[in-house]
Amino acid sequence: MKEQLTALRDEAIAVIHAAKNMNELNEARVKYLGKKGPLTEILRGMGKLSAEERPVIGQMANDVRAAIESTLERKKEELEREVLQKKLMSETIDVTLPGRPVHFGNRHPLTKVIEEIEDIFIAMGFEVAEGPEVETDYYNFEALNLPKNHPARDMQDSFYITDEILMRTHTSPVQARTMERKQGEVPVKIICPGKVYRRDDDDATHSHMFTQIEGLVVDKGIRMSDLKGTLLAFAKQMFGENQRIRLRPSFFPFTEPSAEVDISCVICNGVGCRVCKETGWLEILGAGMVHPKVLEMSGYDSEKVTGFAFGMGVERIALLKYGIEDIRHFYQSDLRFLKQFSRV
Ligand code: DAH
């Protein structure tokens, strides 16, 4: 039996040394140490041995098992080292290769203009409000003193979804939504940037979708001079300290009186040029004192409070600010155009 054990040990060690990978090593483990292996068999047969022989053979069997186990362990470490070594070899990094350039994006010029305008008004105590682009006929028209069949509805050709739901044609519905939410509380002092939609054929100066910023102030004792002062402060910060503004009488159903507001031409500084059509002035927004009916419909007492409102086109301001000649550039995602705004 001693010879049997010695032979078994030598054979097992030889097989283990010959193993080329983990699979073969595991096979060897099962073969020599497994429940059905020769060592288990020998140990099982110990009962038949004499009392003197039993401890000697038992000790020897244990030594053989220990020798096989430690050989297995060493071989396992060796194989693992080999695998790691191979992996390290195949994964070498060539530090002399040139780096891959990272392309940084930048904010869209319209986003930049919106943020700049927001900052100016926030500094004057305004909050930024938002409203849905899919709007009800009520908020888009009726709550702004434009009842059904009112001729002024034709001023804005609309995309209707149903009889009562449409894509908002301006950001003015946010005026009514905000006042309703505030439930008669003053002051109301908001601006609202957002996309608006009109049935227009797209060309260099028109787009069926464009961006507006609405403004609304409601409080006790708000006057036309507050509107003028606010807009002048805005124009100076947006276009420069030398800016002047002028108000021309106009009509909007939701304001009375209404005005169109011009800034002195940013190109020629009021002298007259091609951009301002030799007038020295550029129209940038519509404004006025909030119509008493609009205040009443949204829950404000027009005997106690007054307000002013304005609405401007963001694209128009961006076109002027950056000297862009075609509004369609804003929507075409052409990187050659957009990349020019990475540093402004
Ligand atoms: N909503 C108007 C438009 O889209 C712009 C406008 C004019 C808004 C006068 C106002 C305002 O708040 O007071 O043409």
Side-chain angles (χ1 to χ4, degrees):
M1 214 170 218
K2 280 183 191 162
E3 294 80 56
Q4 227 182 317
L5 276 169
T6 317
L8 177 63
R9 187 194 61 198
D10 294 346
E11 182 192 320
I13 288 174
V15 169
I16 291 167
H17 278 311
K20 285 191 287 294
N21 53 43
M22 284 295 177
N23 267 349
E24 288 184 21
L25 192 65
N26 279 333
E27 276 167 24
R29 180 193 304 279
V30 173
K31 181 167 176 201
Y32 293 105
L33 297 183
K35 281 203 188 75
K36 289 179 187 138
L39 197 59
T40 317
E41 191 110 316
I42 290 170
L43 288 170
R44 227 180 259 141
M46 297 255 293
K48 294 189 198 107
L49 296 175
S50 66
E52 299 90 63
E53 262 183 325
R54 211 176 289 151
V56 181
I57 297 297
Q59 178 65 46
M60 209 179 153
N62 278 339
D63 291 347
V64 168
R65 168 177 283 274
I68 296 175
E69 271 172 357
S70 67
T71 312
L72 275 168
E73 199 48 43
R74 260 178 283 127
K75 185 68 187 181
K76 188 175 156 220
E77 279 166 21
E78 189 187 313
L79 285 174
E80 277 171 354
R81 253 197 318 276
E82 265 173 33
V83 169
L84 181 66
Q85 209 57 38
K86 265 194 202 138
K87 204 168 161 203
L88 288 178
M89 295 289 279
S90 67
E91 283 179 3
T92 47
I93 294 168
D94 182 352
V95 291
T96 63
L97 278 175
R100 294 193 184 100
V102 177
H103 296 287
F104 286 104
N106 56 274
R107 275 172 304 176
H108 192 279
L110 288 178
T111 307
K112 282 176 198 283
V113 170
I114 290 172
E115 287 177 355
E116 197 175 330
I117 296 172
E118 280 178 355
D119 285 348
I120 294 170
F121 282 100
I122 287 169
M124 289 196 267
F126 284 70
E127 280 172 36
V128 178
E130 278 185 1
E133 288 171 29
V134 179
E135 188 52 284
T136 60
D137 184 273
Y138 175 78
Y139 286 114
N140 196 79
F141 290 128
E142 284 197 45
L144 296 167
N145 197 29
L146 273 148
K148 288 216 159 63
N149 303 319
H150 191 290
R153 283 195 179 202
D154 296 344
M155 283 163 72
Q156 304 177 354
D157 265 336
S158 325
F159 288 115
Y160 272 90
I161 292 165
T162 69
D163 279 353
E164 292 301 325
I165 298 174
L166 72 159
M167 303 305 290
R168 68 178 174 195
T169 56
H170 50 182
T171 43
S172 303
V174 183
Q175 288 188 30
R177 284 182 173 275
T178 304
M179 284 191 279
E180 251 185 30
R181 185 164 48 79
K182 290 261 197 174
Q183 300 190 333
E185 188 194 312
V186 287
V188 177
K189 223 172 155 188
I190 55 134
I191 56 162
C192 164
K195 296 192 182 82
V196 301
Y197 301 82
R198 292 193 196 168
R199 272 176 44 190
D200 242 335
D201 291 328
D202 294 0
D203 61 26
T205 54
H206 295 85
S207 168
H208 62 283
M209 183 217 76
F210 59 102
T211 320
Q212 285 190 332
I213 293 185
E214 192 78 13
L216 172 70
V217 172
V218 181
D219 204 349
K220 290 198 179 95
I222 295 291
R223 299 177 300 187
M224 193 96 179
S225 53
D226 295 313
L227 168 65
K228 202 171 172 187
T230 304
L231 293 178
L232 180 60
F234 162 71
K236 283 174 181 284
Q237 288 183 67
M238 192 73 196
F239 297 103
E241 260 311 298
N242 295 328
Q243 269 302 323
R244 287 158 293 136
I245 62 169
R246 74 172 182 186
L247 273 63
R248 285 178 289 111
S250 183
F251 170 80
F252 297 103
F254 28 91
T255 43
E256 183 58 40
S258 303
E260 257 158 281
V261 180
D262 300 342
I263 57 168
S264 42
C265 179
V266 292
I267 310 292
C268 64
N269 208 7
V271 177
C273 69
R274 194 175 55 87
V275 174
C276 61
K277 300 201 181 81
E278 307 299 334
T279 64
W281 295 98
L282 297 165
E283 186 199 324
I284 60 158
L285 54 85
M289 299 306 289
V290 181
H291 197 293
K293 274 198 196 162
V294 172
L295 290 170
E296 298 285 343
M297 273 187 281
S298 291
Y300 281 77
D301 186 343
S302 63
E303 295 291 326
K304 296 208 174 97
V305 297
T306 47
F308 69 73
F310 57 85
M312 62 182 115
V314 177
E315 280 80 354
R316 172 128 173 95
I317 290 174
L319 291 172
L320 292 171
K321 191 173 159 75
Y322 297 124
I324 298 163
E325 80 291 355
D326 192 324
I327 195 173
R328 288 168 293 195
H329 286 309
F330 290 129
Y331 317 116
Q332 287 164 342
S333 299
D334 185 335
L335 288 179
R336 291 169 303 177
F337 171 74
L338 295 175
K339 273 187 177 163
Q340 297 175 57
F341 300 91
S342 63
R343 279 178 221 285
V344 293

Short mmCIF file of all heavy atoms in Angstrom, two decimals, residues 269-306:
data_model
loop_
_atom_site.label_atom_id
_atom_site.label_comp_id
_atom_site.label_asym_id
_atom_site.label_seq_id
_atom_site.Cartn_x
_atom_site.Cartn_y
_atom_site.Cartn_z
N ASN A 269 -26.14 103.52 -35.02
CA ASN A 269 -26.30 104.37 -33.86
C ASN A 269 -27.28 105.52 -34.11
O ASN A 269 -27.13 106.62 -33.57
CB ASN A 269 -24.93 104.92 -33.41
CG ASN A 269 -24.91 105.22 -31.92
OD1 ASN A 269 -25.87 104.89 -31.21
ND2 ASN A 269 -23.84 105.86 -31.46
N GLY A 270 -28.28 105.27 -34.95
CA GLY A 270 -29.34 106.26 -35.15
C GLY A 270 -29.16 107.18 -36.32
O GLY A 270 -30.02 108.01 -36.61
N VAL A 271 -28.04 107.03 -37.03
CA VAL A 271 -27.77 107.92 -38.15
C VAL A 271 -28.63 107.56 -39.36
O VAL A 271 -29.11 108.43 -40.10
CB VAL A 271 -26.26 107.86 -38.54
CG1 VAL A 271 -25.99 108.73 -39.76
CG2 VAL A 271 -25.40 108.29 -37.36
N GLY A 272 -28.88 106.28 -39.55
CA GLY A 272 -29.62 105.81 -40.73
C GLY A 272 -28.75 104.91 -41.57
O GLY A 272 -27.65 105.33 -41.97
N CYS A 273 -29.20 103.69 -41.79
CA CYS A 273 -28.42 102.75 -42.60
C CYS A 273 -29.36 101.74 -43.26
O CYS A 273 -30.58 101.84 -43.14
CB CYS A 273 -27.36 102.04 -41.74
SG CYS A 273 -28.07 100.88 -40.53
N ARG A 274 -28.77 100.76 -43.93
CA ARG A 274 -29.57 99.78 -44.65
C ARG A 274 -30.42 98.95 -43.67
O ARG A 274 -31.58 98.67 -43.92
CB ARG A 274 -28.63 98.86 -45.45
CG ARG A 274 -29.28 98.00 -46.49
CD ARG A 274 -28.21 97.25 -47.27
NE ARG A 274 -27.34 96.49 -46.37
CZ ARG A 274 -27.59 95.25 -45.94
NH1 ARG A 274 -28.69 94.64 -46.35
NH2 ARG A 274 -26.76 94.62 -45.13
N VAL A 275 -29.80 98.55 -42.53
CA VAL A 275 -30.50 97.68 -41.58
C VAL A 275 -31.74 98.35 -40.99
O VAL A 275 -32.80 97.75 -40.88
CB VAL A 275 -29.54 97.22 -40.45
CG1 VAL A 275 -30.28 96.44 -39.37
CG2 VAL A 275 -28.42 96.36 -41.03
N CYS A 276 -31.64 99.68 -40.67
CA CYS A 276 -32.79 100.38 -40.09
C CYS A 276 -33.60 101.09 -41.17
O CYS A 276 -34.45 101.92 -40.87
CB CYS A 276 -32.34 101.35 -39.01
SG CYS A 276 -31.24 102.65 -39.61
N LYS A 277 -33.32 100.76 -42.40
CA LYS A 277 -34.01 101.37 -43.56
C LYS A 277 -33.96 102.90 -43.47
O LYS A 277 -34.97 103.59 -43.67
CB LYS A 277 -35.45 100.87 -43.65
CG LYS A 277 -35.53 99.35 -43.82
CD LYS A 277 -36.88 98.94 -44.42
CE LYS A 277 -37.00 97.45 -44.58
NZ LYS A 277 -37.37 96.74 -43.33
N GLU A 278 -32.81 103.40 -43.12
CA GLU A 278 -32.52 104.84 -43.05
C GLU A 278 -33.35 105.58 -42.01
O GLU A 278 -33.39 106.82 -42.01
CB GLU A 278 -32.72 105.50 -44.44
CG GLU A 278 -31.97 104.85 -45.58
CD GLU A 278 -30.44 104.86 -45.40
OE1 GLU A 278 -29.94 105.76 -44.69
OE2 GLU A 278 -29.78 103.96 -45.95
N THR A 279 -34.03 104.86 -41.10
CA THR A 279 -34.85 105.57 -40.10
C THR A 279 -34.08 105.85 -38.83
O THR A 279 -34.49 106.70 -38.02
CB THR A 279 -36.09 104.72 -39.71
OG1 THR A 279 -35.62 103.52 -39.08
CG2 THR A 279 -36.93 104.37 -40.92
N GLY A 280 -33.01 105.12 -38.60
CA GLY A 280 -32.27 105.28 -37.35
C GLY A 280 -32.87 104.47 -36.19
O GLY A 280 -32.32 104.46 -35.09
N TRP A 281 -34.01 103.80 -36.44
CA TRP A 281 -34.69 103.06 -35.36
C TRP A 281 -34.96 101.61 -35.77
O TRP A 281 -35.18 101.32 -36.94
CB TRP A 281 -36.02 103.72 -35.01
CG TRP A 281 -35.86 105.09 -34.44
CD1 TRP A 281 -35.98 106.27 -35.12
CD2 TRP A 281 -35.54 105.43 -33.09
NE1 TRP A 281 -35.76 107.34 -34.27
CE2 TRP A 281 -35.50 106.84 -33.01
CE3 TRP A 281 -35.31 104.69 -31.92
CZ2 TRP A 281 -35.22 107.52 -31.83
CZ3 TRP A 281 -35.04 105.36 -30.74
CH2 TRP A 281 -34.99 106.77 -30.71
N LEU A 282 -34.96 100.73 -34.78
CA LEU A 282 -35.29 99.32 -35.02
C LEU A 282 -36.42 98.92 -34.08
O LEU A 282 -36.32 99.11 -32.86
CB LEU A 282 -34.08 98.43 -34.73
CG LEU A 282 -32.84 98.63 -35.60
CD1 LEU A 282 -31.64 97.93 -34.95
CD2 LEU A 282 -33.08 98.08 -37.00
N GLU A 283 -37.48 98.33 -34.64
CA GLU A 283 -38.57 97.88 -33.77
C GLU A 283 -38.17 96.57 -33.12
O GLU A 283 -37.73 95.64 -33.81
CB GLU A 283 -39.84 97.69 -34.61
CG GLU A 283 -41.03 97.36 -33.75
CD GLU A 283 -42.16 96.73 -34.55
OE1 GLU A 283 -42.34 97.12 -35.72
OE2 GLU A 283 -42.83 95.84 -34.00
N ILE A 284 -38.28 96.49 -31.79
CA ILE A 284 -37.93 95.22 -31.16
C ILE A 284 -39.04 94.60 -30.32
O ILE A 284 -38.97 93.43 -29.98
CB ILE A 284 -36.63 95.26 -30.32
CG1 ILE A 284 -36.75 96.27 -29.19
CG2 ILE A 284 -35.40 95.51 -31.17
CD1 ILE A 284 -35.78 95.97 -28.05
N LEU A 285 -40.05 95.36 -29.97
CA LEU A 285 -41.10 94.72 -29.16
C LEU A 285 -42.42 95.48 -29.17
O LEU A 285 -42.49 96.64 -29.56
CB LEU A 285 -40.62 94.48 -27.72
CG LEU A 285 -40.06 95.62 -26.87
CD1 LEU A 285 -41.19 96.38 -26.18
CD2 LEU A 285 -39.14 95.03 -25.81
N GLY A 286 -43.45 94.76 -28.72
CA GLY A 286 -44.77 95.35 -28.51
C GLY A 286 -45.02 95.43 -27.02
O GLY A 286 -44.51 94.61 -26.25
N ALA A 287 -45.78 96.46 -26.61
CA ALA A 287 -45.98 96.64 -25.18
C ALA A 287 -47.23 97.46 -24.92
O ALA A 287 -47.91 97.90 -25.85
CB ALA A 287 -44.76 97.34 -24.57
N GLY A 288 -47.53 97.66 -23.67
CA GLY A 288 -48.66 98.51 -23.33
C GLY A 288 -49.08 98.33 -21.89
O GLY A 288 -48.48 97.56 -21.14
N MET A 289 -50.15 99.08 -21.51
CA MET A 289 -50.72 98.92 -20.18
C MET A 289 -51.76 97.80 -20.25
O MET A 289 -52.60 97.79 -21.16
CB MET A 289 -51.39 100.23 -19.73
CG MET A 289 -50.43 101.41 -19.63
SD MET A 289 -49.00 101.07 -18.58
CE MET A 289 -49.77 101.04 -16.95
N VAL A 290 -51.68 96.86 -19.33
CA VAL A 290 -52.57 95.70 -19.37
C VAL A 290 -54.04 96.17 -19.40
O VAL A 290 -54.46 97.00 -18.58
CB VAL A 290 -52.34 94.77 -18.17
CG1 VAL A 290 -53.26 93.55 -18.26
CG2 VAL A 290 -50.88 94.33 -18.11
N HIS A 291 -54.79 95.66 -20.35
CA HIS A 291 -56.20 96.05 -20.53
C HIS A 291 -56.99 95.66 -19.27
O HIS A 291 -56.83 94.55 -18.76
CB HIS A 291 -56.77 95.33 -21.74
CG HIS A 291 -58.04 95.94 -22.25
ND1 HIS A 291 -59.21 95.91 -21.52
CD2 HIS A 291 -58.32 96.60 -23.41
CE1 HIS A 291 -60.16 96.52 -22.21
NE2 HIS A 291 -59.63 96.96 -23.36
N PRO A 292 -57.83 96.60 -18.76
CA PRO A 292 -58.60 96.27 -17.54
C PRO A 292 -59.36 94.95 -17.64
O PRO A 292 -59.44 94.20 -16.68
CB PRO A 292 -59.57 97.45 -17.42
CG PRO A 292 -58.96 98.56 -18.19
CD PRO A 292 -58.08 97.95 -19.25
N LYS A 293 -59.89 94.66 -18.83
CA LYS A 293 -60.64 93.41 -19.00
C LYS A 293 -59.75 92.19 -18.75
O LYS A 293 -60.19 91.17 -18.23
CB LYS A 293 -61.20 93.32 -20.42
CG LYS A 293 -62.52 93.99 -20.61
CD LYS A 293 -63.14 93.45 -21.89
CE LYS A 293 -64.26 94.34 -22.37
NZ LYS A 293 -64.57 94.07 -23.78
N VAL A 294 -58.46 92.28 -19.19
CA VAL A 294 -57.52 91.17 -19.02
C VAL A 294 -57.25 90.96 -17.53
O VAL A 294 -57.23 89.82 -17.03
CB VAL A 294 -56.21 91.43 -19.80
CG1 VAL A 294 -55.15 90.38 -19.48
CG2 VAL A 294 -56.49 91.46 -21.30
N LEU A 295 -57.08 92.07 -16.80
CA LEU A 295 -56.88 91.96 -15.35
C LEU A 295 -58.10 91.32 -14.69
O LEU A 295 -57.97 90.39 -13.90
CB LEU A 295 -56.65 93.36 -14.74
CG LEU A 295 -55.33 94.06 -15.08
CD1 LEU A 295 -55.38 95.52 -14.61
CD2 LEU A 295 -54.15 93.34 -14.42
N GLU A 296 -59.28 91.79 -15.06
CA GLU A 296 -60.51 91.29 -14.44
C GLU A 296 -60.71 89.80 -14.71
O GLU A 296 -61.03 89.03 -13.81
CB GLU A 296 -61.74 92.06 -14.97
CG GLU A 296 -61.73 93.56 -14.68
CD GLU A 296 -62.06 93.87 -13.21
OE1 GLU A 296 -62.61 92.98 -12.52
OE2 GLU A 296 -61.76 95.00 -12.76
N MET A 297 -60.49 89.40 -15.98
CA MET A 297 -60.72 87.99 -16.33
C MET A 297 -59.82 87.05 -15.54
O MET A 297 -60.16 85.91 -15.30
CB MET A 297 -60.51 87.78 -17.84
CG MET A 297 -61.76 88.04 -18.65
SD MET A 297 -61.52 87.60 -20.38
CE MET A 297 -60.63 89.01 -20.98
N SER A 298 -58.64 87.54 -15.15
CA SER A 298 -57.73 86.67 -14.41
C SER A 298 -57.76 86.94 -12.90
O SER A 298 -56.85 86.56 -12.17
CB SER A 298 -56.30 86.83 -14.94
OG SER A 298 -56.24 86.29 -16.24
N GLY A 299 -58.82 87.63 -12.46
CA GLY A 299 -59.05 87.73 -11.02
C GLY A 299 -58.43 88.94 -10.33
O GLY A 299 -58.26 88.92 -9.12
N TYR A 300 -58.09 89.99 -11.09
CA TYR A 300 -57.55 91.19 -10.45
C TYR A 300 -58.55 92.34 -10.56
O TYR A 300 -59.25 92.46 -11.58
CB TYR A 300 -56.20 91.58 -11.09
CG TYR A 300 -55.06 90.72 -10.56
CD1 TYR A 300 -54.91 89.42 -11.02
CD2 TYR A 300 -54.19 91.20 -9.60
CE1 TYR A 300 -53.89 88.60 -10.52
CE2 TYR A 300 -53.18 90.40 -9.10
CZ TYR A 300 -53.02 89.11 -9.57
OH TYR A 300 -52.03 88.32 -9.07
N ASP A 301 -58.60 93.18 -9.55
CA ASP A 301 -59.52 94.31 -9.52
C ASP A 301 -58.86 95.50 -10.24
O ASP A 301 -57.91 96.10 -9.73
CB ASP A 301 -59.84 94.67 -8.06
CG ASP A 301 -60.91 95.77 -7.98
OD1 ASP A 301 -61.14 96.45 -9.01
OD2 ASP A 301 -61.47 95.94 -6.89
N SER A 302 -59.36 95.82 -11.44
CA SER A 302 -58.70 96.84 -12.25
C SER A 302 -58.90 98.25 -11.68
O SER A 302 -58.33 99.21 -12.17
CB SER A 302 -59.21 96.78 -13.70
OG SER A 302 -60.59 97.08 -13.72
N GLU A 303 -59.74 98.37 -10.64
CA GLU A 303 -59.87 99.66 -9.96
C GLU A 303 -58.72 99.85 -8.97
O GLU A 303 -58.37 100.96 -8.60
CB GLU A 303 -61.20 99.73 -9.18
CG GLU A 303 -62.45 99.69 -10.05
CD GLU A 303 -62.61 100.96 -10.89
OE1 GLU A 303 -62.23 102.04 -10.39
OE2 GLU A 303 -63.06 100.85 -12.04
N LYS A 304 -58.16 98.72 -8.53
CA LYS A 304 -57.13 98.80 -7.47
C LYS A 304 -55.71 98.64 -7.99
O LYS A 304 -54.77 99.19 -7.43
CB LYS A 304 -57.40 97.71 -6.42
CG LYS A 304 -58.70 97.87 -5.68
CD LYS A 304 -58.60 97.25 -4.28
CE LYS A 304 -59.84 97.54 -3.46
NZ LYS A 304 -60.79 96.41 -3.48
N VAL A 305 -55.56 97.83 -9.04
CA VAL A 305 -54.19 97.60 -9.55
C VAL A 305 -54.13 97.87 -11.05
O VAL A 305 -55.14 97.81 -11.75
CB VAL A 305 -53.69 96.14 -9.28
CG1 VAL A 305 -53.60 95.85 -7.80
CG2 VAL A 305 -54.57 95.12 -9.99
N THR A 306 -52.93 98.18 -11.51
CA THR A 306 -52.69 98.37 -12.94
C THR A 306 -51.44 97.57 -13.30
O THR A 306 -50.72 97.09 -12.42
CB THR A 306 -52.46 99.85 -13.29
OG1 THR A 306 -51.53 100.39 -12.35
CG2 THR A 306 -53.76 100.63 -13.24
#
